[in-house]
Amino acid sequence: NSEDVRCKCICPPYKDHSGHIYNKNVSQKDCDCLHVVEPMPVPGPDVEAYCLRCECKYEERSSVTIKVNVIVLAC
C-alpha cells in the first residue's frame, strides 16, 4: 500500500527561509532532498547547501497492524 511508505525530510532554517518538514510518497532510493522538497524554497545556486542541511528518512508502517491493534484495544 503506497500510503504505508513515505520519505520525511526535516529542513532547518536557511538564510531568510524558515525551517520546514516535507513528506512525500517515494521509493526508498528516491528518499532525498532533491526528490522530496517541492517546491524548492531556495534559488539554484543555494540548492546544494540547503539540501545538505536537510535530514531525510524513509519510513514504513503497517496500517493493517495498526487497525487490528485499535480494534483489539477498543473491545
Side-chain angles (χ1 to χ4, degrees):
N1 190 350
S2 63
E3 293 142 14
D4 287 343
V5 298
R6 72 176 177 178
C7 182
K8 180 178 181 180
C9 291
I10 301 172
C11 300
Y14 179 77
K15 294 188 177 180
D16 59 341
H17 300 281
S18 61
H20 196 76
I21 297 174
Y22 299 89
N23 292 301
K24 190 172 183 183
N25 290 341
V26 295
S27 66
Q28 190 169 7
K29 69 178 181 72
D30 290 334
C31 184
D32 59 37
C33 174
L34 294 175
H35 288 99
V36 175
V37 176
E38 290 180 356
M40 187 61 69
V42 295
D46 287 334
V47 169
E48 185 176 359
Y50 180 79
C51 281
L52 286 172
R53 298 170 57 88
C54 296
E55 181 181 341
C56 298
K57 291 183 181 177
Y58 184 74
E59 300 175 341
E60 292 183 80
R61 67 178 184 185
S62 173
S63 58
V64 173
T65 302
I66 293 169
K67 289 176 186 175
V68 168
N69 284 334
V70 168
I71 291 169
V72 169
L73 291 173
C75 293

Short mmCIF file of all heavy atoms in Angstrom, two decimals:
data_model
loop_
_atom_site.label_atom_id
_atom_site.label_comp_id
_atom_site.label_asym_id
_atom_site.label_seq_id
_atom_site.Cartn_x
_atom_site.Cartn_y
_atom_site.Cartn_z
N ASN A 1 0.85 -1.18 0.00
CA ASN A 1 0.00 0.00 0.00
C ASN A 1 0.89 1.24 0.00
O ASN A 1 1.71 1.42 0.89
CB ASN A 1 -0.90 -0.05 1.23
CG ASN A 1 -1.98 1.00 1.20
OD1 ASN A 1 -1.98 1.88 0.35
ND2 ASN A 1 -2.92 0.90 2.11
N SER A 2 0.71 2.13 -0.98
CA SER A 2 1.59 3.29 -1.11
C SER A 2 1.43 4.27 0.05
O SER A 2 2.30 5.10 0.29
CB SER A 2 1.32 4.00 -2.43
OG SER A 2 0.00 4.50 -2.47
N GLU A 3 0.32 4.21 0.78
CA GLU A 3 0.13 5.11 1.91
C GLU A 3 0.93 4.67 3.13
O GLU A 3 1.01 5.38 4.12
CB GLU A 3 -1.34 5.20 2.26
CG GLU A 3 -2.14 5.90 1.17
CD GLU A 3 -3.50 5.27 0.98
OE1 GLU A 3 -3.93 4.49 1.83
OE2 GLU A 3 -4.12 5.55 -0.05
N ASP A 4 1.49 3.48 3.08
CA ASP A 4 2.24 2.95 4.21
C ASP A 4 3.74 3.26 4.13
O ASP A 4 4.50 2.84 4.99
CB ASP A 4 2.04 1.44 4.33
CG ASP A 4 0.65 1.09 4.84
OD1 ASP A 4 -0.02 1.98 5.39
OD2 ASP A 4 0.26 -0.06 4.69
N VAL A 5 4.16 3.97 3.11
CA VAL A 5 5.57 4.37 2.99
C VAL A 5 5.64 5.86 2.69
O VAL A 5 4.74 6.42 2.07
CB VAL A 5 6.31 3.58 1.88
CG1 VAL A 5 6.33 2.11 2.20
CG2 VAL A 5 5.70 3.82 0.52
N ARG A 6 6.69 6.46 3.18
CA ARG A 6 6.89 7.87 2.88
C ARG A 6 8.34 8.24 3.16
O ARG A 6 9.06 7.53 3.87
CB ARG A 6 5.98 8.77 3.71
CG ARG A 6 6.37 8.84 5.18
CD ARG A 6 5.52 9.80 5.93
NE ARG A 6 5.88 9.79 7.34
CZ ARG A 6 5.32 10.57 8.24
NH1 ARG A 6 4.38 11.41 7.89
NH2 ARG A 6 5.70 10.51 9.49
N CYS A 7 8.73 9.34 2.61
CA CYS A 7 10.03 9.92 2.92
C CYS A 7 9.75 11.24 3.62
O CYS A 7 8.95 12.05 3.15
CB CYS A 7 10.82 10.15 1.64
SG CYS A 7 12.47 10.83 1.95
N LYS A 8 10.38 11.43 4.75
CA LYS A 8 10.18 12.64 5.56
C LYS A 8 11.50 13.39 5.63
O LYS A 8 12.51 12.85 6.09
CB LYS A 8 9.70 12.25 6.95
CG LYS A 8 9.47 13.41 7.88
CD LYS A 8 8.95 12.87 9.21
CE LYS A 8 8.67 13.97 10.20
NZ LYS A 8 8.18 13.44 11.46
N CYS A 9 11.50 14.64 5.15
CA CYS A 9 12.70 15.47 5.20
C CYS A 9 12.46 16.64 6.15
O CYS A 9 11.48 17.37 6.00
CB CYS A 9 13.05 16.02 3.82
SG CYS A 9 13.64 14.77 2.66
N ILE A 10 13.35 16.77 7.11
CA ILE A 10 13.28 17.88 8.06
C ILE A 10 14.40 18.85 7.69
O ILE A 10 15.58 18.50 7.76
CB ILE A 10 13.44 17.39 9.50
CG1 ILE A 10 12.33 16.39 9.84
CG2 ILE A 10 13.43 18.58 10.47
CD1 ILE A 10 12.49 15.70 11.17
N CYS A 11 14.00 20.04 7.26
CA CYS A 11 14.97 21.04 6.82
C CYS A 11 14.98 22.22 7.79
O CYS A 11 13.94 22.86 7.99
CB CYS A 11 14.63 21.52 5.41
SG CYS A 11 14.62 20.19 4.18
N PRO A 12 16.13 22.50 8.41
CA PRO A 12 16.21 23.61 9.37
C PRO A 12 16.21 24.96 8.64
O PRO A 12 16.33 25.00 7.41
CB PRO A 12 17.55 23.35 10.06
CG PRO A 12 18.36 22.63 9.06
CD PRO A 12 17.39 21.80 8.26
N PRO A 13 16.07 26.05 9.39
CA PRO A 13 16.11 27.36 8.75
C PRO A 13 17.41 27.56 7.96
O PRO A 13 18.47 27.07 8.35
CB PRO A 13 16.04 28.33 9.93
CG PRO A 13 15.42 27.55 11.03
CD PRO A 13 15.86 26.13 10.83
N TYR A 14 17.29 28.26 6.85
CA TYR A 14 18.45 28.54 5.99
C TYR A 14 18.32 29.96 5.46
O TYR A 14 17.31 30.29 4.82
CB TYR A 14 18.49 27.54 4.83
CG TYR A 14 19.63 27.77 3.87
CD1 TYR A 14 20.92 27.38 4.19
CD2 TYR A 14 19.41 28.38 2.64
CE1 TYR A 14 21.97 27.59 3.31
CE2 TYR A 14 20.45 28.58 1.75
CZ TYR A 14 21.73 28.19 2.09
OH TYR A 14 22.77 28.40 1.22
N LYS A 15 19.30 30.78 5.76
CA LYS A 15 19.28 32.20 5.39
C LYS A 15 17.95 32.82 5.80
O LYS A 15 17.60 32.77 6.97
CB LYS A 15 19.58 32.36 3.90
CG LYS A 15 21.00 31.94 3.54
CD LYS A 15 21.34 32.30 2.12
CE LYS A 15 22.80 31.93 1.84
NZ LYS A 15 23.20 32.24 0.49
N ASP A 16 17.17 33.35 4.87
CA ASP A 16 15.91 34.01 5.24
C ASP A 16 14.70 33.08 5.10
O ASP A 16 13.56 33.52 5.14
CB ASP A 16 15.70 35.28 4.41
CG ASP A 16 15.66 35.01 2.91
OD1 ASP A 16 16.14 33.95 2.48
OD2 ASP A 16 15.15 35.87 2.17
N HIS A 17 14.95 31.77 4.96
CA HIS A 17 13.86 30.79 4.85
C HIS A 17 13.69 30.07 6.18
O HIS A 17 14.67 29.62 6.78
CB HIS A 17 14.17 29.77 3.74
CG HIS A 17 14.34 30.38 2.39
ND1 HIS A 17 13.28 30.77 1.61
CD2 HIS A 17 15.45 30.70 1.69
CE1 HIS A 17 13.72 31.29 0.50
NE2 HIS A 17 15.05 31.27 0.52
N SER A 18 12.44 29.94 6.62
CA SER A 18 12.18 29.23 7.87
C SER A 18 12.31 27.73 7.66
O SER A 18 12.28 27.24 6.53
CB SER A 18 10.78 29.59 8.39
OG SER A 18 9.81 29.19 7.46
N GLY A 19 12.45 27.00 8.75
CA GLY A 19 12.53 25.54 8.68
C GLY A 19 11.21 24.95 8.23
O GLY A 19 10.14 25.57 8.38
N HIS A 20 11.26 23.74 7.66
CA HIS A 20 10.04 23.12 7.16
C HIS A 20 10.21 21.60 7.14
O HIS A 20 11.31 21.10 7.00
CB HIS A 20 9.75 23.63 5.74
CG HIS A 20 8.36 23.35 5.28
ND1 HIS A 20 7.28 24.08 5.72
CD2 HIS A 20 7.86 22.44 4.43
CE1 HIS A 20 6.18 23.61 5.14
NE2 HIS A 20 6.52 22.60 4.35
N ILE A 21 9.08 20.90 7.27
CA ILE A 21 9.07 19.44 7.18
C ILE A 21 8.32 19.06 5.90
O ILE A 21 7.21 19.54 5.67
CB ILE A 21 8.39 18.80 8.41
CG1 ILE A 21 9.18 19.13 9.67
CG2 ILE A 21 8.28 17.29 8.22
CD1 ILE A 21 8.51 18.68 10.95
N TYR A 22 8.95 18.22 5.09
CA TYR A 22 8.36 17.78 3.83
C TYR A 22 8.10 16.28 3.89
O TYR A 22 8.94 15.53 4.36
CB TYR A 22 9.31 18.07 2.65
CG TYR A 22 9.64 19.53 2.47
CD1 TYR A 22 10.72 20.10 3.13
CD2 TYR A 22 8.88 20.33 1.64
CE1 TYR A 22 11.03 21.44 2.97
CE2 TYR A 22 9.19 21.67 1.46
CZ TYR A 22 10.26 22.22 2.12
OH TYR A 22 10.56 23.55 1.96
N ASN A 23 6.95 15.84 3.39
CA ASN A 23 6.60 14.42 3.30
C ASN A 23 6.19 14.12 1.87
O ASN A 23 5.47 14.92 1.25
CB ASN A 23 5.41 14.07 4.21
CG ASN A 23 5.77 14.17 5.66
OD1 ASN A 23 6.67 13.50 6.12
ND2 ASN A 23 5.05 15.01 6.39
N LYS A 24 6.62 12.98 1.38
CA LYS A 24 6.22 12.58 0.03
C LYS A 24 6.30 11.06 -0.08
O LYS A 24 7.19 10.44 0.49
CB LYS A 24 7.13 13.23 -1.01
CG LYS A 24 6.66 13.09 -2.43
CD LYS A 24 7.50 13.93 -3.36
CE LYS A 24 6.98 13.84 -4.77
NZ LYS A 24 7.83 14.59 -5.70
N ASN A 25 5.37 10.47 -0.80
CA ASN A 25 5.40 9.03 -1.05
C ASN A 25 6.34 8.77 -2.22
O ASN A 25 5.98 9.00 -3.37
CB ASN A 25 3.99 8.50 -1.38
CG ASN A 25 3.07 8.52 -0.20
OD1 ASN A 25 3.52 8.58 0.94
ND2 ASN A 25 1.78 8.47 -0.45
N VAL A 26 7.54 8.32 -1.91
CA VAL A 26 8.54 7.98 -2.92
C VAL A 26 9.21 6.67 -2.52
O VAL A 26 9.08 6.22 -1.39
CB VAL A 26 9.62 9.09 -3.09
CG1 VAL A 26 9.03 10.37 -3.63
CG2 VAL A 26 10.36 9.34 -1.80
N SER A 27 9.93 6.07 -3.45
CA SER A 27 10.65 4.84 -3.14
C SER A 27 11.83 5.15 -2.23
O SER A 27 12.26 6.30 -2.11
CB SER A 27 11.13 4.16 -4.42
OG SER A 27 12.10 4.96 -5.05
N GLN A 28 12.37 4.13 -1.62
CA GLN A 28 13.49 4.31 -0.69
C GLN A 28 14.70 4.92 -1.39
O GLN A 28 15.40 5.74 -0.83
CB GLN A 28 13.86 2.98 -0.04
CG GLN A 28 14.85 3.13 1.10
CD GLN A 28 15.00 1.84 1.90
OE1 GLN A 28 14.47 0.80 1.53
NE2 GLN A 28 15.71 1.92 3.00
N LYS A 29 14.94 4.54 -2.64
CA LYS A 29 16.11 5.07 -3.36
C LYS A 29 15.94 6.55 -3.72
O LYS A 29 16.92 7.25 -3.94
CB LYS A 29 16.41 4.24 -4.61
CG LYS A 29 15.40 4.35 -5.72
CD LYS A 29 15.82 3.53 -6.92
CE LYS A 29 14.85 3.63 -8.06
NZ LYS A 29 14.86 4.89 -8.75
N ASP A 30 14.70 7.04 -3.77
CA ASP A 30 14.45 8.44 -4.08
C ASP A 30 14.23 9.29 -2.83
O ASP A 30 13.80 10.43 -2.93
CB ASP A 30 13.23 8.57 -4.99
CG ASP A 30 13.49 8.05 -6.39
OD1 ASP A 30 14.66 8.05 -6.81
OD2 ASP A 30 12.52 7.65 -7.07
N CYS A 31 14.53 8.73 -1.67
CA CYS A 31 14.31 9.46 -0.42
C CYS A 31 15.49 10.39 -0.16
O CYS A 31 16.43 10.07 0.57
CB CYS A 31 14.12 8.48 0.74
SG CYS A 31 13.72 9.29 2.30
N ASP A 32 15.44 11.54 -0.80
CA ASP A 32 16.44 12.58 -0.58
C ASP A 32 15.81 13.94 -0.84
O ASP A 32 14.70 14.04 -1.35
CB ASP A 32 17.69 12.36 -1.46
CG ASP A 32 17.37 12.34 -2.94
OD1 ASP A 32 16.50 13.12 -3.40
OD2 ASP A 32 18.01 11.55 -3.66
N CYS A 33 16.52 14.96 -0.48
CA CYS A 33 16.02 16.33 -0.58
C CYS A 33 15.57 16.69 -1.99
O CYS A 33 14.53 17.30 -2.19
CB CYS A 33 17.11 17.29 -0.09
SG CYS A 33 16.72 19.03 -0.29
N LEU A 34 16.35 16.31 -2.98
CA LEU A 34 16.03 16.69 -4.36
C LEU A 34 14.73 16.09 -4.87
O LEU A 34 14.06 16.68 -5.72
CB LEU A 34 17.19 16.30 -5.29
CG LEU A 34 18.49 17.05 -5.06
CD1 LEU A 34 19.59 16.49 -5.95
CD2 LEU A 34 18.32 18.54 -5.30
N HIS A 35 14.34 14.92 -4.36
CA HIS A 35 13.11 14.28 -4.80
C HIS A 35 11.90 14.62 -3.93
O HIS A 35 10.76 14.44 -4.35
CB HIS A 35 13.28 12.75 -4.81
CG HIS A 35 14.16 12.26 -5.91
ND1 HIS A 35 15.49 11.96 -5.70
CD2 HIS A 35 13.92 12.04 -7.22
CE1 HIS A 35 16.01 11.56 -6.85
NE2 HIS A 35 15.09 11.60 -7.78
N VAL A 36 12.14 15.09 -2.71
CA VAL A 36 11.03 15.28 -1.76
C VAL A 36 10.66 16.76 -1.57
O VAL A 36 9.49 17.10 -1.46
CB VAL A 36 11.38 14.63 -0.40
CG1 VAL A 36 10.31 14.90 0.63
CG2 VAL A 36 11.58 13.14 -0.58
N VAL A 37 11.65 17.63 -1.54
CA VAL A 37 11.39 19.05 -1.26
C VAL A 37 10.85 19.71 -2.53
O VAL A 37 11.56 19.94 -3.49
CB VAL A 37 12.67 19.76 -0.77
CG1 VAL A 37 12.41 21.24 -0.58
CG2 VAL A 37 13.15 19.12 0.52
N GLU A 38 9.54 19.97 -2.51
CA GLU A 38 8.87 20.65 -3.62
C GLU A 38 7.84 21.60 -3.06
O GLU A 38 7.05 21.19 -2.21
CB GLU A 38 8.19 19.63 -4.54
CG GLU A 38 9.14 18.79 -5.33
CD GLU A 38 8.41 17.79 -6.24
OE1 GLU A 38 7.17 17.72 -6.17
OE2 GLU A 38 9.10 17.10 -6.99
N PRO A 39 7.78 22.83 -3.48
CA PRO A 39 8.75 23.49 -4.35
C PRO A 39 10.04 23.80 -3.58
O PRO A 39 10.00 24.02 -2.37
CB PRO A 39 8.04 24.77 -4.78
CG PRO A 39 7.12 25.08 -3.64
CD PRO A 39 6.69 23.72 -3.09
N MET A 40 11.14 23.82 -4.28
CA MET A 40 12.43 24.14 -3.66
C MET A 40 12.41 25.61 -3.23
O MET A 40 12.17 26.49 -4.06
CB MET A 40 13.56 23.88 -4.66
CG MET A 40 14.95 24.00 -4.06
SD MET A 40 15.33 22.86 -2.71
CE MET A 40 15.40 21.29 -3.54
N PRO A 41 12.59 25.87 -1.94
CA PRO A 41 12.44 27.24 -1.43
C PRO A 41 13.63 28.18 -1.72
O PRO A 41 13.53 29.37 -1.45
CB PRO A 41 12.29 27.04 0.08
CG PRO A 41 13.02 25.78 0.35
CD PRO A 41 12.85 24.92 -0.88
N VAL A 42 14.71 27.65 -2.24
CA VAL A 42 15.90 28.47 -2.49
C VAL A 42 16.23 28.46 -3.98
O VAL A 42 15.91 27.52 -4.70
CB VAL A 42 17.11 27.97 -1.67
CG1 VAL A 42 16.86 28.13 -0.19
CG2 VAL A 42 17.46 26.54 -2.00
N PRO A 43 16.92 29.50 -4.46
CA PRO A 43 17.30 29.53 -5.88
C PRO A 43 18.41 28.53 -6.19
O PRO A 43 19.09 28.02 -5.30
CB PRO A 43 17.79 30.98 -6.07
CG PRO A 43 18.16 31.45 -4.72
CD PRO A 43 17.29 30.71 -3.75
N GLY A 44 18.61 28.25 -7.46
CA GLY A 44 19.55 27.25 -7.96
C GLY A 44 20.90 27.17 -7.28
O GLY A 44 21.30 26.08 -6.85
N PRO A 45 21.64 28.27 -7.13
CA PRO A 45 22.97 28.19 -6.53
C PRO A 45 22.97 27.74 -5.06
O PRO A 45 23.97 27.21 -4.58
CB PRO A 45 23.51 29.62 -6.63
CG PRO A 45 22.68 30.28 -7.68
CD PRO A 45 21.35 29.60 -7.65
N ASP A 46 21.86 27.91 -4.35
CA ASP A 46 21.78 27.55 -2.92
C ASP A 46 21.19 26.16 -2.67
O ASP A 46 21.14 25.71 -1.53
CB ASP A 46 20.95 28.58 -2.16
CG ASP A 46 21.67 29.90 -1.97
OD1 ASP A 46 22.92 29.90 -1.98
OD2 ASP A 46 20.99 30.93 -1.83
N VAL A 47 20.74 25.47 -3.72
CA VAL A 47 20.06 24.19 -3.54
C VAL A 47 20.95 23.17 -2.83
O VAL A 47 20.52 22.50 -1.89
CB VAL A 47 19.55 23.63 -4.89
CG1 VAL A 47 19.09 22.19 -4.75
CG2 VAL A 47 18.42 24.49 -5.42
N GLU A 48 22.19 23.03 -3.27
CA GLU A 48 23.09 22.04 -2.67
C GLU A 48 23.32 22.32 -1.18
O GLU A 48 23.22 21.43 -0.34
CB GLU A 48 24.42 21.98 -3.40
CG GLU A 48 25.33 20.88 -2.89
CD GLU A 48 26.62 20.75 -3.67
OE1 GLU A 48 26.83 21.50 -4.63
OE2 GLU A 48 27.44 19.91 -3.28
N ALA A 49 23.59 23.58 -0.84
CA ALA A 49 23.81 23.94 0.56
C ALA A 49 22.55 23.72 1.39
O ALA A 49 22.62 23.25 2.53
CB ALA A 49 24.27 25.39 0.66
N TYR A 50 21.39 24.04 0.83
CA TYR A 50 20.12 23.84 1.54
C TYR A 50 19.88 22.35 1.78
O TYR A 50 19.55 21.93 2.89
CB TYR A 50 18.98 24.45 0.73
CG TYR A 50 17.63 24.30 1.38
CD1 TYR A 50 17.24 25.16 2.41
CD2 TYR A 50 16.72 23.32 0.97
CE1 TYR A 50 16.00 25.03 3.02
CE2 TYR A 50 15.49 23.19 1.57
CZ TYR A 50 15.13 24.05 2.59
OH TYR A 50 13.90 23.92 3.19
N CYS A 51 20.08 21.53 0.76
CA CYS A 51 19.81 20.10 0.87
C CYS A 51 20.78 19.40 1.82
O CYS A 51 20.40 18.43 2.48
CB CYS A 51 19.85 19.44 -0.51
SG CYS A 51 18.31 19.70 -1.45
N LEU A 52 21.99 19.87 1.92
CA LEU A 52 22.95 19.27 2.84
C LEU A 52 22.51 19.43 4.29
O LEU A 52 22.88 18.64 5.15
CB LEU A 52 24.35 19.86 2.65
CG LEU A 52 25.08 19.40 1.39
CD1 LEU A 52 26.38 20.20 1.21
CD2 LEU A 52 25.37 17.90 1.44
N ARG A 53 21.70 20.44 4.57
CA ARG A 53 21.22 20.69 5.94
C ARG A 53 19.99 19.85 6.27
O ARG A 53 19.66 19.67 7.43
CB ARG A 53 20.89 22.17 6.10
CG ARG A 53 22.10 23.07 5.91
CD ARG A 53 21.70 24.54 5.84
NE ARG A 53 20.97 24.99 7.00
CZ ARG A 53 21.52 25.46 8.11
NH1 ARG A 53 22.82 25.56 8.19
NH2 ARG A 53 20.78 25.85 9.12
N CYS A 54 19.29 19.34 5.26
CA CYS A 54 18.06 18.58 5.48
C CYS A 54 18.38 17.14 5.88
O CYS A 54 19.32 16.54 5.38
CB CYS A 54 17.23 18.55 4.20
SG CYS A 54 16.62 20.17 3.68
N GLU A 55 17.57 16.60 6.78
CA GLU A 55 17.69 15.21 7.20
C GLU A 55 16.48 14.45 6.68
O GLU A 55 15.34 14.73 7.07
CB GLU A 55 17.76 15.12 8.72
CG GLU A 55 17.93 13.71 9.22
CD GLU A 55 17.96 13.63 10.74
OE1 GLU A 55 18.22 14.65 11.40
OE2 GLU A 55 17.71 12.53 11.25
N CYS A 56 16.72 13.51 5.78
CA CYS A 56 15.62 12.74 5.17
C CYS A 56 15.66 11.30 5.66
O CYS A 56 16.72 10.68 5.71
CB CYS A 56 15.74 12.77 3.64
SG CYS A 56 15.59 14.43 2.95
N LYS A 57 14.47 10.78 6.02
CA LYS A 57 14.35 9.40 6.50
C LYS A 57 13.20 8.72 5.78
O LYS A 57 12.12 9.28 5.63
CB LYS A 57 14.07 9.37 8.00
CG LYS A 57 15.22 9.83 8.84
CD LYS A 57 14.88 9.69 10.31
CE LYS A 57 16.03 10.17 11.18
NZ LYS A 57 15.69 10.11 12.59
N TYR A 58 13.45 7.47 5.38
CA TYR A 58 12.42 6.65 4.76
C TYR A 58 11.67 5.93 5.88
O TYR A 58 12.29 5.36 6.77
CB TYR A 58 13.08 5.63 3.82
CG TYR A 58 12.11 4.78 3.05
CD1 TYR A 58 11.40 5.31 1.99
CD2 TYR A 58 11.92 3.45 3.38
CE1 TYR A 58 10.52 4.53 1.27
CE2 TYR A 58 11.04 2.66 2.67
CZ TYR A 58 10.34 3.21 1.61
OH TYR A 58 9.46 2.43 0.90
N GLU A 59 10.34 5.98 5.84
CA GLU A 59 9.53 5.39 6.89
C GLU A 59 8.50 4.43 6.30
O GLU A 59 7.89 4.72 5.27
CB GLU A 59 8.80 6.48 7.69
CG GLU A 59 9.74 7.47 8.34
CD GLU A 59 9.02 8.61 9.02
OE1 GLU A 59 7.84 8.86 8.71
OE2 GLU A 59 9.65 9.27 9.86
N GLU A 60 8.34 3.29 6.95
CA GLU A 60 7.33 2.31 6.57
C GLU A 60 6.46 2.00 7.78
O GLU A 60 6.95 2.02 8.91
CB GLU A 60 7.98 1.00 6.10
CG GLU A 60 8.73 1.10 4.80
CD GLU A 60 9.28 -0.24 4.39
OE1 GLU A 60 8.50 -1.05 3.85
OE2 GLU A 60 10.48 -0.47 4.62
N ARG A 61 5.21 1.68 7.53
CA ARG A 61 4.32 1.26 8.60
C ARG A 61 3.31 0.27 8.04
O ARG A 61 3.11 0.19 6.83
CB ARG A 61 3.59 2.45 9.21
CG ARG A 61 2.61 3.08 8.24
CD ARG A 61 1.86 4.20 8.86
NE ARG A 61 0.88 4.69 7.87
CZ ARG A 61 0.12 5.72 8.04
NH1 ARG A 61 0.21 6.41 9.15
NH2 ARG A 61 -0.73 6.09 7.12
N SER A 62 2.68 -0.46 8.91
CA SER A 62 1.65 -1.41 8.51
C SER A 62 0.32 -0.91 9.03
O SER A 62 0.01 -1.05 10.22
CB SER A 62 1.95 -2.80 9.06
OG SER A 62 0.86 -3.64 8.78
N SER A 63 -0.48 -0.32 8.16
CA SER A 63 -1.77 0.22 8.59
C SER A 63 -2.72 -0.91 9.02
O SER A 63 -3.58 -0.71 9.87
CB SER A 63 -2.40 1.07 7.49
OG SER A 63 -2.58 0.33 6.32
N VAL A 64 -2.57 -2.11 8.45
CA VAL A 64 -3.40 -3.25 8.86
C VAL A 64 -3.13 -3.60 10.32
O VAL A 64 -4.05 -3.80 11.11
CB VAL A 64 -3.16 -4.47 7.94
CG1 VAL A 64 -3.88 -5.69 8.47
CG2 VAL A 64 -3.57 -4.16 6.52
N THR A 65 -1.85 -3.66 10.71
CA THR A 65 -1.49 -3.95 12.10
C THR A 65 -2.03 -2.87 13.04
O THR A 65 -2.54 -3.17 14.11
CB THR A 65 0.04 -4.06 12.24
OG1 THR A 65 0.51 -5.08 11.36
CG2 THR A 65 0.44 -4.37 13.67
N ILE A 66 -1.95 -1.64 12.63
CA ILE A 66 -2.45 -0.53 13.45
C ILE A 66 -3.96 -0.68 13.64
O ILE A 66 -4.47 -0.54 14.76
CB ILE A 66 -2.10 0.82 12.81
CG1 ILE A 66 -0.59 1.03 12.82
CG2 ILE A 66 -2.82 1.96 13.53
CD1 ILE A 66 -0.11 2.19 11.99
N LYS A 67 -4.69 -0.98 12.57
CA LYS A 67 -6.15 -1.14 12.67
C LYS A 67 -6.52 -2.30 13.59
O LYS A 67 -7.44 -2.20 14.39
CB LYS A 67 -6.75 -1.35 11.28
CG LYS A 67 -6.72 -0.11 10.42
CD LYS A 67 -7.23 -0.39 9.02
CE LYS A 67 -7.05 0.82 8.13
NZ LYS A 67 -7.42 0.55 6.73
N VAL A 68 -5.82 -3.42 13.46
CA VAL A 68 -6.10 -4.58 14.31
C VAL A 68 -5.87 -4.23 15.78
O VAL A 68 -6.67 -4.57 16.65
CB VAL A 68 -5.24 -5.80 13.88
CG1 VAL A 68 -5.30 -6.90 14.92
CG2 VAL A 68 -5.68 -6.30 12.52
N ASN A 69 -4.77 -3.54 16.08
CA ASN A 69 -4.48 -3.15 17.45
C ASN A 69 -5.55 -2.22 18.01
O ASN A 69 -5.94 -2.35 19.18
CB ASN A 69 -3.10 -2.50 17.55
CG ASN A 69 -1.98 -3.50 17.48
OD1 ASN A 69 -2.15 -4.66 17.82
ND2 ASN A 69 -0.83 -3.06 17.03
N VAL A 70 -6.03 -1.30 17.21
CA VAL A 70 -7.08 -0.38 17.67
C VAL A 70 -8.36 -1.16 17.97
O VAL A 70 -9.01 -0.93 19.00
CB VAL A 70 -7.33 0.72 16.62
CG1 VAL A 70 -8.60 1.51 16.94
CG2 VAL A 70 -6.14 1.64 16.53
N ILE A 71 -8.71 -2.11 17.11
CA ILE A 71 -9.92 -2.91 17.33
C ILE A 71 -9.79 -3.75 18.60
O ILE A 71 -10.72 -3.81 19.41
CB ILE A 71 -10.21 -3.80 16.10
CG1 ILE A 71 -10.64 -2.92 14.92
CG2 ILE A 71 -11.28 -4.84 16.41
CD1 ILE A 71 -10.70 -3.62 13.59
N VAL A 72 -8.64 -4.39 18.79
CA VAL A 72 -8.42 -5.22 19.98
C VAL A 72 -8.48 -4.36 21.25
O VAL A 72 -9.09 -4.75 22.25
CB VAL A 72 -7.08 -5.97 19.87
CG1 VAL A 72 -6.70 -6.60 21.20
CG2 VAL A 72 -7.14 -7.01 18.78
N LEU A 73 -7.86 -3.20 21.23
CA LEU A 73 -7.86 -2.34 22.40
C LEU A 73 -9.23 -1.74 22.69
O LEU A 73 -9.57 -1.47 23.85
CB LEU A 73 -6.83 -1.22 22.24
CG LEU A 73 -5.37 -1.67 22.26
CD1 LEU A 73 -4.45 -0.51 21.91
CD2 LEU A 73 -5.01 -2.23 23.62
N ALA A 74 -10.04 -1.53 21.66
CA ALA A 74 -11.36 -0.94 21.84
C ALA A 74 -12.36 -1.95 22.41
O ALA A 74 -13.36 -1.57 23.00
CB ALA A 74 -11.87 -0.40 20.51
N CYS A 75 -12.10 -3.23 22.22
CA CYS A 75 -13.06 -4.27 22.69
C CYS A 75 -12.93 -4.57 24.15
O CYS A 75 -12.12 -4.38 24.87
CB CYS A 75 -12.87 -5.55 21.91
SG CYS A 75 -13.34 -5.33 20.19
#
